Amino acid sequence: MAALPPEYLDPNTPPEVVVTDVLPPRIDDPTLGVPLGPRDPDVPAPPTDPVHRLVTVGDSLTHGLTSGAVSRTDLSWPAVLARCLDVPFQVPAYGGPLGGLPFNIEGLLRRLQEEFGDRISAIEALSLPFALQRLADQNEDYWERGDGSGPPRTDLRYDNLGIYGWDLRDSLSYTGGRAAARIASNPAHDDLLGAVPSNDNDIAAWSVLAPFGVAATQIEAAAWHGRNGGIDTLVAVLGSNNALRAVVDKKVLWSGDGFDDLDRKGSYNVWRPSHFAAEFAELVRAAEAIGTRRVVFATVPHLTIAPIAKGVNPQAPGEKWRPGSRYFPFYTDPWINEASFDPTKHRHLTHQQARAVDSAIDQYNGTIADAVRHARGHGRDWFLFDLCGVLDGLAYRRFVTDAEARARNAWQAQRLPAELADLDTRFFRSDRTGRLQGGLFGLDGVHPTTSGYGIVADELVAVLATAGVAAEHVDFAALRREDTLNQNPPALMATAFDIATPFLARLVSRGGGH
């Protein structure tokens, strides 16, 4: 492969990152064309009549976070998939005055609408910051000192083991006991803005892992299901948080020493491909030891597509870096006006950095695909779900509206069901007239809406069909009715963002991360 010219490259990118400028082909065959080989003698036989039909491990996408909070976990993609499979499926639940942990932006806007109606006058605008602070403080009090601060229930062992903000190392090493100890040793304190409760990620982790004991990691919790009745299908969607913070924070910090240390890895926000491969190899070894009939691994999406990274070209608004390119010159926060964007004032990624992050993710996905190929060759019924290809196929500004970029990258569109055909991947905007744009991503600009999660679930139905697992496709008409953000868009969304950008920007930037 010929090296790209210097103008395509960021000089701080590690040499091991193979930077490319063309979209990799979508993977449509979950078996990767590898028939099941003979089972190795040392590979335990899978359970013949597993009790647990579906178990999922992952990060915020699996946990069901949307618009800044895990709230309707019964509408997460694992729960929707379980409906399609018609199998029992236990998920954790989260309450609170706004509905969910850490901070439900949609819930906030609904509460504001209850107070102000569907429009805010000039006089009322003066009181809006005080209303925001009061509602945020109520949310903080609930999780730090109120009912949300109590011990989690331990009588249900959940089938959805997703924990928002977690990367590969967290899944492997972070125990429920560590989360509980961190909560106990880090007393809650009032934050002036109160946007995010103290210890929110540890509260979430402990809520999922407590039923499995203080020594349980996320992977060990899955293994419990394997030991106690066996698992029919285990789905693992991990790796996004090995690069997501770079896109949310608009800065790139490549991994170095301590990337695999729980106490040191926070210094980095993009894992070098070799470091990702080392972590993923440990995940593979752990998965091999779990009593499950089949495993589905998902690829990592190109995170620069998420609307939290708004592509801008202040010199030629709406234009890419070059005709036919996937990339805009800069990527900034979604509330920044393109024409007024200033790289000396606004935080941003360059197109060179975005290209490097996407290229590293391509190498992550090569590692994941190689693991599935190897497992199938040795008799393990493992499959690949190309989540990356699904998101690429929906990328509105990158491909849908750019014929040159579509042609140059041999782009494959992701088919949307008729019930969702009006939705796209732009940052969600609505006012008193209804939704103005977006609809596949929630108000944090990172996580899908209920409709977006339905697309993920439906694609997994197709993957499992390859494995011979019978399931109904998602009832998108019914699911759309349950998608409150799209079915009843907040009337004050545009107004609140215009008036209270500093406050809401903090919530969106938080993105449900660690």
Side-chain angles (χ1 to χ4, degrees), residues 21-342:
D21 197 47
V22 178
L23 185 71
R26 180 166 175 172
I27 301 170
D28 292 318
D29 180 1
T31 72
L32 297 168
V34 180
L36 281 182
R39 180 170 289 272
D40 288 348
D42 58 342
V43 174
T48 55
D49 189 20
V51 171
H52 308 284
R53 310 304 296 180
L54 176 67
V55 174
T56 58
V57 297
D59 49 37
S60 54
L61 292 177
T62 301
H63 208 168
L65 195 146
T66 188
S67 293
V70 280
S71 52
R72 289 295 306 275
T73 49
D74 60 318
L75 296 175
S76 60
W77 71 254
V80 175
L81 177 60
R83 289 186 193 179
C84 296
L85 293 166
D86 193 24
V87 298
F89 193 75
Q90 297 287 354
V91 300
Y94 302 90
L98 301 180
L101 175 73
F103 197 104
N104 190 332
I105 303 173
E106 181 184 351
L108 171 70
L109 294 176
R110 303 257 181 234
R111 290 286 300 275
L112 290 174
Q113 192 165 327
E114 290 174 4
E115 294 190 25
F116 294 98
D118 63 0
R119 65 175 70 194
I120 297 177
S121 69
I123 294 176
E124 288 174 326
L126 298 176
S127 64
L128 178 62
F130 299 99
L132 287 168
Q133 174 58 42
R134 173 171 43 80
L135 293 171
D137 193 56
Q138 291 174 8
N139 182 74
E140 183 183 41
D141 285 345
Y142 175 87
W143 291 110
E144 293 184 356
R145 288 164 288 278
D147 290 346
S149 65
R153 63 185 300 176
T154 57
D155 57 322
L156 287 179
R157 288 186 170 90
Y158 303 114
D159 300 299
N160 185 357
L161 302 171
I163 299 172
Y164 72 76
W166 275 27
D167 60 22
L168 292 175
R169 177 50 49 190
D170 295 316
S171 179
L172 292 162
S173 301
Y174 211 115
T175 64
R178 176 185 172 92
R182 283 167 56 93
I183 295 169
S185 64
N186 183 24
H189 60 278
D190 270 325
D191 187 320
L192 178 61
L193 288 177
V196 177
S198 300
N199 309 311
D200 69 289
N201 192 250
D202 285 309
I203 293 171
W206 186 220
S207 72
V208 173
L209 297 178
F212 300 92
V214 295
T217 63
Q218 187 183 59
I219 293 301
E220 171 56 29
W224 182 94
H225 290 287
R227 292 191 301 270
N228 291 271
I231 301 169
D232 190 55
T233 299
L234 173 66
V235 184
V237 183
L238 284 162
S240 290
N241 283 308
N242 291 87
L244 176 60
R245 293 308 315 180
V247 177
V248 173
D249 296 337
K250 311 301 186 296
K251 60 182 177 181
V252 177
L253 302 170
W254 292 99
S255 60
D257 291 344
F259 71 91
D260 55 354
D261 186 320
L262 289 175
D263 294 317
R264 299 171 63 193
K265 66 184 180 66
S267 299
Y268 313 118
N269 61 21
V270 187
W271 266 235
R272 297 169 188 255
S274 60
H275 293 166
F276 183 93
E279 300 272 76
F280 196 78
E282 290 191 43
L283 179 63
V284 166
R285 287 192 290 272
E288 288 174 343
I290 295 175
T292 180
R293 179 176 286 173
R294 69 184 60 82
V295 176
V296 179
F297 278 110
T299 56
V300 177
H302 289 132
L303 301 165
T304 54
I305 293 173
I308 191 65
K310 178 182 178 180
V312 294
N313 186 342
Q315 303 304 317
E319 299 295 325
K320 298 285 186 59
W321 173 63
R322 287 183 175 175
S325 175
R326 287 185 285 169
Y327 299 101
F328 291 87
F330 302 100
Y331 290 83
T332 190
D333 294 308
W335 49 87
I336 302 298
N337 180 274
E338 182 171 18
S340 61
F341 169 77
D342 183 345

